[in-house]
């Protein structure tokens, strides 16, 4: 059974492309060859990672999103024998979600021998409520055939509300039965680890590309090695859901 990993969150700038690229790099490190797809018509960041061979699906017709263009996505993954990682942009969140639900895509994929895993992101500060609402919306709208993985990304701030951690919040407690795994992205100090990670993401470099780049300072490569190890370890801890 192939896993179809789709990153969905209506809030922009919360790390969807980072998560997509991290998932892809982890699968490659495990000797897999995932099919990577970018459906973001505005910021095709995932597509920029050339080493990941990301295919771009054009979902636009003139200046409008054409829901029938999503049919091309299903055709592409229908006969796949490998896992798929799909980065969907904030601008296509609503039409993509509606397409998947109204066309009963999770059940269709299951009939094809695939399983849909929806990855969604919760982040802190002013984006916390928006990302929580996006999570609740997805869980309530998607049928039981879809699995859910929640990523906690503290990049914009601590993920707390009234002193409560995510697992203590009503949004999670009410929907915890639908959540198959929670993955925590570590908080990286902006001046060191955060700066190094941000720079390779802006350059669309994979960890391997950066670590093989002898022009990068030794300590930059050391910190990137630590980041990769932390992220991959967190993914290994939920491998039963991802594999």
């Amino acid at each position: 059974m192939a896993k179809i990993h789709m990153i969905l969150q209506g809030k922009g700038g919360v790390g969807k492309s980072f998560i997509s690229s991290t998932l892809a790099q982890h699968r490659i490190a495990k000797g897999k060859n995932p099919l990577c797809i970018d459906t973001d018509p505005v910021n095709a960041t995932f597509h920029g990672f050339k080493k990941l061979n990301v295919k771009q699906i054009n979902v636009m017709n003139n200046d409008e999103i054409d829901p029938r263009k999503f049919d091309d996505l299903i055709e592409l993954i229908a006969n796949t024998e490998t896992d798929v990682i799909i980065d969907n942009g904030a601008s296509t969140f609503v039409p993509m979600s509606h397409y998947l639900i109204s066309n009963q895509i999770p059940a269709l994929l299951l009939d094809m021998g695939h399983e849909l895993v929806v990855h969604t992101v919760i982040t802190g500060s002013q984006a916390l409520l928006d990302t929580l609402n996006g999570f609740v919306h997805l869980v309530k709208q998607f049928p039981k055939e879809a699995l859910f993985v929640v990523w906690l990304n503290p990049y914009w701030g601590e993920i707390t509300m009234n002193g409560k951690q995510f697992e203590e919040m009503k949004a999670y407690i009410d929907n915890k039965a639908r959540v198959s795994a929670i993955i925590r992205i570590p908080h990286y100090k902006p001046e060191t680890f955060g700066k190094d990670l941000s720079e390779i993401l802006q350059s669309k470099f994979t960890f391997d590309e950066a670590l093989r780049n002898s022009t990068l300072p030794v300590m930059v490569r050391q910190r990137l090695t630590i980041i990769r190890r932390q992220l991959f370890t967190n993914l290994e801890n939920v491998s039963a859901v991802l594999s």
Side-chain angles (χ1 to χ4, degrees), residues 5-24:
H5 299 279
M6 181 171 288
I7 293 77
L8 286 172
Q9 174 54 265
K11 184 71 175 176
V14 296
K16 292 188 292 294
S17 298
F18 168 60
I19 288 168
S20 301
S21 64
T22 300
L23 275 174

Side-chain angles (χ1 to χ4, degrees), residues 229-243:
R229 185 184 304 125
Q230 290 173 333
L231 292 170
F232 283 14
T233 297
N234 289 350
L235 289 172
E236 285 295 318
N237 289 337
V238 296
S239 60
V241 177
L242 301 182
S243 303

Side-chain angles (χ1 to χ4, degrees), residues 60-76:
M60 302 294 289
N61 188 355
N62 295 320
D63 294 329
E64 300 288 335
I65 294 173
D66 183 355
R68 293 191 68 90
K69 295 277 190 175
F70 293 128
D71 290 353
D72 297 336
L73 173 64
I74 303 305
E75 288 295 326
L76 186 59

Side-chain angles (χ1 to χ4, degrees), residues 7-19 40 42-43 45 87-91 93 121-128 130-131 153-157 185 201:
I7 293 77
L8 286 172
Q9 174 54 265
K11 184 71 175 176
V14 296
K16 292 188 292 294
S17 298
F18 168 60
I19 288 168
D40 191 335
V42 179
N43 296 303
T45 305
D87 184 16
N88 183 69
S91 62
F93 172 74
V121 194
I122 306 296
T123 192
S125 191
Q126 295 179 348
L128 178 58
D130 286 342
T131 53
N153 183 5
Y155 180 81
W156 293 113
I185 298 174
L201 291 175

Side-chain angles (χ1 to χ4, degrees), residues 207-218:
F207 285 111
D208 280 352
E209 285 180 282
L211 295 177
R212 289 173 182 162
N213 184 352
S214 60
T215 66
L216 287 179
V218 170

Side-chain angles (χ1 to χ4, degrees), residues 3-7 16-28 32-39 46 52-55 73 76-77 80 82-88 117 119 151 235 242:
K3 293 288 181 73
I4 312 300
H5 299 279
M6 181 171 288
I7 293 77
K16 292 188 292 294
S17 298
F18 168 60
I19 288 168
S20 301
S21 64
T22 300
L23 275 174
Q25 290 176 72
H26 177 256
R27 302 310 295 154
I28 291 169
K32 308 295 183 181
N33 186 29
L35 171 60
C36 299
I37 302 171
D38 195 332
T39 63
F46 191 30
L52 300 179
N53 193 30
V54 182
K55 298 182 182 296
L73 173 64
L76 186 59
I77 67 179
T80 185
T82 185
D83 286 357
V84 181
I85 299 168
I86 304 165
D87 184 16
N88 183 69
V117 183
H119 297 253
W151 291 69
L235 289 172
L242 301 182

Side-chain angles (χ1 to χ4, degrees), residues 4 21 68 72 88 105 115 133 147 157 161 169 177 194 197 218:
I4 312 300
S21 64
R68 293 191 68 90
D72 297 336
N88 183 69
I105 299 301
E115 191 168 37
N133 289 336
L147 302 181
M161 181 183 292
M169 296 178 189
L197 179 58
V218 170

